[in-house]
């Protein structure tokens, strides 16, 4: 049969490839919002990032944090980084699907003359399979998840075939795959407009439906209990030294706590199906529900958590009240074998870390934590269970823990394996949050003073001294506010008898063990940023 169809050219193929890709992604997006089924671009992006060598990822993170700092974008570093990740994930996955669908359409006339719907289904199956192989976080069972993805992709492949057929002006028969030239040639322009509008309507309404009805398996945690901080004063409420105006809140509002992890979208675990499985060197494997863990005497601790990627003066640090069970108490019930020395904690996103049992026995503060600020952890922050380890950066402290293996050896954790510090001990840092030029203090007969203030922290070592230098003058000791606890940051202030003009302010601190802050300027990789914060301001 001689074909007198006009096979779709490159431009038309690209246009339809794009439209079909938009349609595909908007269906995935909507169903993700509605049900919590995976949105493949995020999952594949995260998995590929995990499989790449650590150095590339580390550089990527460093550069992203640095770039966000430089661009001075509104909003917090972590939120901006997540938006950048989402955009990168969706566009790279989109490009893959686009190349795939556009080439299918472009070559449809030559290759897929017969059985085009079967070809389409087979073509859809391939990216579907690749996606399934890369997905590793499951809010539903793997079977349901794979079935869903393959189904969507096979249907998409058939839609590809249908479009190719229309564009080739093939006749659509009842069987649907007969490559005869239709007597009525498809008016391409009309088809483009119709199809384009259909996709536009579909993706806009899909996004709206998702936003309106979506709970993504309880994405946003609706706090049905009151936050602890709304009902209770902080333990140091009566402390004499008050923060200088403009200092960050001493207790971070829960919604503002920074978020850092390897997931574009956090794993969504459900209390009904979640269990903490404990295996390895114990008399017999055990399983705990969240309720079982909540039965232990709760331990409440005020904690400042910091990310090792936080540059000096950055916002990847926050303070809240953590509630959980002391690991020292918890492991008493595990019947550990005598040779047991370490716990390997596994998280739902593929993250893992190793904690020594000696450390647990020596320090009751290490805990498995299920609540922040009096309410269950949010999905972003590790629901249902995370660990707290004093004095180390967040990189050592898994969220979304679902299994513990009792072992007899130390191992490298997720980030250690990727070239970061083995110990992750927090470095002492001092930050200037405010030079409150608008809040001059005038006391009768005295020089007017400008309050300057910020935070200093040294993990669980505490801060014994903060000093500030203006221009090249002497170091002045700042006043320290009693911290909320031994494991939080300390607020400092210095009321400065100012001189007008432009000045440079530099701060440093001493931890309670007497170690001065490290002066050498270093980037976060591989052991955490060091150096003094310096800032210029016109007064
Ligand atoms: N499962 C899991 N836990 C994790 C991470 C992660 O990627 N996956 N990131 C860690 C890092 S690097 C930090 S800084 C803290 C941040 O905790 P937050 O997001 O609750 O502030 O979580 C830690 N725990
Ligand atoms: Mo981190």
């Amino acid at each position: 049969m001689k074909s007198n169809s006009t096979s779709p050219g490159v431009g038309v193929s690209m246009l339809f490839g794009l439209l079909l890709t938009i349609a595909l992604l908007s269906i995935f997006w909507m169903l993700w919002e509605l049900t919590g089924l995976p949105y493949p671009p995020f999952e594949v992006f995260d998995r590929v990032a995990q499989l790449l060598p650590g150095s590339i990822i580390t550089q990527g993170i460093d550069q992203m944090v640095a770039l966000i700092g430089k661009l001075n974008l509104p909003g917090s570093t972590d939120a901006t980084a997540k938006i950048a990740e989402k955009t990168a994930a969706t566009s790279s996955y989109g490009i893959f699907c686009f190349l795939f669908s556009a080439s299918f359409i472009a070559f449809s006339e030559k290759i897929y003359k017969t059985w085009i719907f079967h070809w389409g289904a087979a073509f859809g199956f391939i990216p579907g399979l690749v996606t399934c192989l890369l997905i590793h976080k499951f809010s539903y069972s793997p079977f349901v998840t794979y079935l869903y993805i393959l189904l969507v992709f096979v249907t998409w492949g058939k839609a590809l075939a249908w479009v190719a057929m229309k564009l080739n002006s093939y006749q659509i028969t009842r069987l649907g795959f007969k490559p005869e030239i239709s007597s009525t040639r498809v008016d391409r322009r009309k088809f483009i407009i119709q199809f384009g509008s259909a996709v536009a309507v579909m993706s806009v309404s899909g996004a709206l439906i998702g936003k309106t009805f979506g709970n993504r398996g309880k994405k946003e945690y609706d706090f049905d209990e009151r936050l602890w901080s709304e009902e209770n004063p902080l333990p140091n409420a009566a402390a004499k030294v008050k923060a200088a105006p403009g200092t960050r809140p001493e207790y971070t509002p829960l919604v503002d706590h920074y978020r850092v992890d390897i997931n574009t979208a956090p794993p969504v675990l459900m209390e009904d199906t979640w269990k903490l499985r404990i295996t390895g060197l114990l008399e017999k494997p055990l399983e705990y529900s969240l309720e079982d863990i909540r039965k232990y005497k709760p331990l409440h601790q005020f904690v400042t958590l910091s990310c090792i990627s936080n540059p000096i003066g950055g916002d990847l640090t926050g303070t809240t009240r953590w509630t959980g069970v002391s690991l020292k108490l918890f492991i008493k019930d595990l019947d550990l074998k005598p040779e047991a020395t370490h716990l390997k904690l596994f998280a739902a996103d593929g993250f893992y870390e190793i904690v020594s049992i000696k450390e647990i026995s020596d320090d009751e503060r290490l805990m498995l934590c299920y609540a922040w600020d009096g309410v269950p952890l949010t999905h972003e922050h590790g629901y249902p269970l995370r660990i707290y380890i004093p004095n180390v950066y967040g990189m050592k402290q898994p969220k979304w823990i679902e299994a513990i293996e009792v072992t007899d050896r130390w191992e490298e954790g997720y980030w250690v394996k990727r070239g970061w510090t083995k110990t992750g001990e927090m470095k002492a840092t001092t930050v200037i949050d405010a030079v409150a030029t608008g809040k001059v203090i005038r006391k009768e007969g005295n020089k007017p003073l400008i309050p300057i203030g910020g935070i200093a922290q040294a993990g669980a070592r505490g801060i014994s001294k903060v000093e500030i230098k203006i221009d090249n003058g002497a170091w002045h000791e700042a006043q320290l506010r009693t911290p909320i606890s031994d494991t939080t940051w300390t607020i400092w202030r210095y009321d400065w008898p100012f001189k007008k003009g432009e000045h440079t302010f530099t701060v440093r601190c001493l931890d309670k063990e007497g170690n001065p802050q490290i002066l050498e300027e270093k980037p976060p990789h591989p052991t955490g940023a060091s150096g003094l914060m310096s800032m210029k301001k016109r007064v």
Side-chain angles (χ1 to χ4, degrees):
M1 178 186 67
K2 200 183 159 296
S3 162
N4 63 350
S5 77
T6 44
S7 73
V10 175
V12 172
S13 302
M14 282 171 60
L15 178 65
F16 279 88
L18 185 68
L19 288 172
L20 280 153
T21 300
I22 293 171
L24 176 74
L25 293 185
S26 60
I27 283 176
F28 275 132
W29 180 275
M30 181 181 75
L31 289 170
W32 174 59
E33 292 263 24
L34 287 178
T35 65
L37 280 161
Y39 176 64
F42 293 171
E43 303 307 317
V44 168
F45 184 79
D46 292 349
R47 189 64 184 159
V48 170
Q50 282 189 22
L51 296 174
L52 287 174
S55 53
I56 295 180
I57 297 306
T58 298
Q59 269 187 19
I61 295 174
D62 279 1
Q63 275 168 13
M64 189 150 71
V65 171
L67 182 72
I68 290 169
K70 275 206 199 91
L71 290 178
N72 225 333
L73 298 171
S76 56
T77 312
D78 58 326
T80 313
K82 287 295 171 206
I83 292 171
E85 268 174 49
K86 286 183 178 166
T87 312
T90 296
S91 42
S92 50
Y93 196 85
I95 287 171
F96 172 73
C97 295
F98 161 74
L99 292 175
F100 205 81
S101 46
S103 45
F104 182 91
I105 295 169
F107 296 117
S108 56
E109 211 251 337
K110 292 196 181 62
I111 314 175
Y112 320 111
K113 276 224 158 143
T114 47
W115 305 96
I116 193 158
F117 276 96
H118 296 300
W119 275 111
F123 251 72
F125 191 79
I126 296 165
L129 189 67
V130 171
T131 300
C132 285
L133 290 175
L134 288 169
I135 279 188
H136 68 298
K137 284 186 308 215
F138 300 99
S139 291
Y140 295 83
S141 72
F143 176 75
V144 169
T145 308
Y146 294 147
L147 193 71
Y148 160 70
I149 286 170
L150 290 176
L151 216 74
V152 172
F153 267 107
V154 166
T155 312
W156 184 64
K158 291 197 173 196
L160 269 178
W162 180 78
V163 167
M165 206 161 71
K166 287 287 251 187
L167 291 173
N168 280 306
S169 298
Y170 288 162
Q171 188 179 1
I172 302 175
T173 67
R174 216 153 44 81
L175 287 172
F177 41 77
K178 209 173 166 208
E180 269 164 18
I181 303 305
S182 154
S183 47
T184 50
R185 286 273 297 270
V186 174
D187 177 347
R188 269 209 194 141
R189 183 160 303 161
K190 212 165 123 198
F191 185 53
I192 289 173
I193 293 169
Q194 281 172 348
F195 193 78
S197 333
V199 169
V201 168
M202 198 180 92
S203 43
V204 170
S205 53
L208 285 177
I209 292 170
K211 264 275 161 294
T212 319
F213 303 105
N215 68 353
R216 203 178 299 147
K218 298 142 258 310
K219 167 193 57 165
E220 236 80 60
Y221 214 98
D222 41 335
F223 302 111
D224 40 18
E225 304 157 65
R226 297 273 290 180
L227 298 176
W228 177 89
S229 56
E230 284 174 8
E231 320 230 292
N232 299 275
L234 292 173
N236 66 342
K240 273 206 216 73
V241 178
K242 306 285 180 220
T247 304
R248 73 188 69 195
E250 185 168 32
Y251 187 86
T252 312
L254 202 45
V255 290
D256 295 341
H257 198 288
Y258 86 93
R259 173 191 156 208
V260 169
D261 51 65
I262 56 173
N263 310 288
T264 304
V268 175
L269 306 178
M270 310 289 180
E271 178 160 357
D272 299 344
T273 48
W274 180 87
K275 283 273 184 312
L276 176 65
R277 286 172 285 114
I278 306 181
T279 58
L281 300 173
L282 66 173
E283 288 313 321
K284 64 170 198 308
L286 295 169
E287 272 193 2
Y288 288 83
S289 68
L290 195 56
E291 216 182 311
D292 298 334
I293 296 171
R294 283 213 195 93
K295 280 187 194 133
Y296 283 91
K297 181 173 171 285
L299 175 61
H300 306 286
Q301 302 187 74
F302 293 89
V303 168
T304 296
L305 181 71
S306 298
C307 181
I308 194 163
S309 295
N310 196 34
I312 300 286
D315 57 7
L316 300 178
T317 178
T319 299
T320 192
R321 182 180 182 260
W322 297 47
T323 301
V325 51
S326 168
L327 266 161
K328 184 173 179 176
L329 179 67
F330 184 75
I331 61 168
K332 288 205 174 105
D333 291 345
L334 298 187
D335 246 336
L336 298 180
K337 293 194 171 158
E339 64 270 32
T341 58
H342 289 81
L343 304 184
K344 184 168 182 184
L345 311 171
F346 294 90
D349 56 349
F351 191 87
Y352 55 93
E353 249 308 326
I354 286 79
V355 191
S356 100
I357 294 176
K358 177 163 188 325
E359 214 182 310
I360 290 171
S361 317
D362 289 349
D363 188 346
E364 283 152 8
R365 296 175 301 178
L366 279 84
M367 68 173 170
L368 291 176
C369 157
Y370 46 77
W372 266 20
D373 200 6
V375 294
L377 294 170
T378 58
H379 289 297
E380 283 76 11
H381 293 292
Y383 180 86
L385 198 70
R386 66 184 299 167
I387 193 173
Y388 168 59
I389 309 173
N391 213 37
V392 299
Y393 287 113
M395 62 164 272
K396 304 291 273 175
Q397 312 190 39
K399 313 188 260 189
W400 308 290
I401 298 172
E402 52 181 19
I404 298 179
E405 189 192 349
V406 185
T407 72
D408 58 2
R409 70 186 68 102
W410 181 84
E411 272 174 68
E412 298 184 324
Y414 184 94
W415 282 120
V416 181
K417 208 171 184 88
R418 287 163 177 74
W420 290 81
T421 161
K422 283 197 173 97
T423 57
E425 182 177 310
M426 277 181 67
K427 291 181 180 168
T429 53
T430 322
V431 175
I432 307 170
D433 280 338
V435 177
T437 48
K439 303 276 179 184
V440 177
I441 308 169
R442 289 170 203 283
K443 285 207 188 111
E444 210 53 52
N446 289 329
K447 271 198 79 172
L449 306 169
I450 286 179
I452 304 176
I455 54 160
Q457 57 176 325
R461 304 188 300 283
I463 296 295
S464 61
K465 193 183 209 175
V466 169
E467 291 176 307
I468 180 164
K469 184 171 83 169
I470 291 115
D471 303 320
N472 284 317
W475 288 99
H476 300 283
E477 190 167 345
Q479 293 172 279
L480 299 185
R481 177 173 164 81
T482 313
I484 307 176
S485 83
D486 291 345
T487 44
T488 65
W489 55 35
T490 298
I491 285 189
W492 62 267
R493 81 178 278 161
Y494 174 67
D495 295 327
W496 174 44
F498 63 95
K499 279 196 226 71
K500 285 196 175 144
E502 188 171 72
H503 297 284
T504 304
F505 305 86
T506 310
V507 281
R508 68 180 185 189
C509 70
L510 216 61
D511 72 18
K512 281 193 175 152
E513 292 169 5
N515 310 303
Q517 184 173 340
I518 302 167
L519 302 183
E520 193 190 344
E521 259 182 57
K522 281 211 176 143
H525 187 259
T527 60
S530 63
L532 301 188
M533 174 165 177
S534 229
M535 147 182 162
K536 271 205 176 95
K537 178 135 183 169
R538 175 159 289 283
V539 174

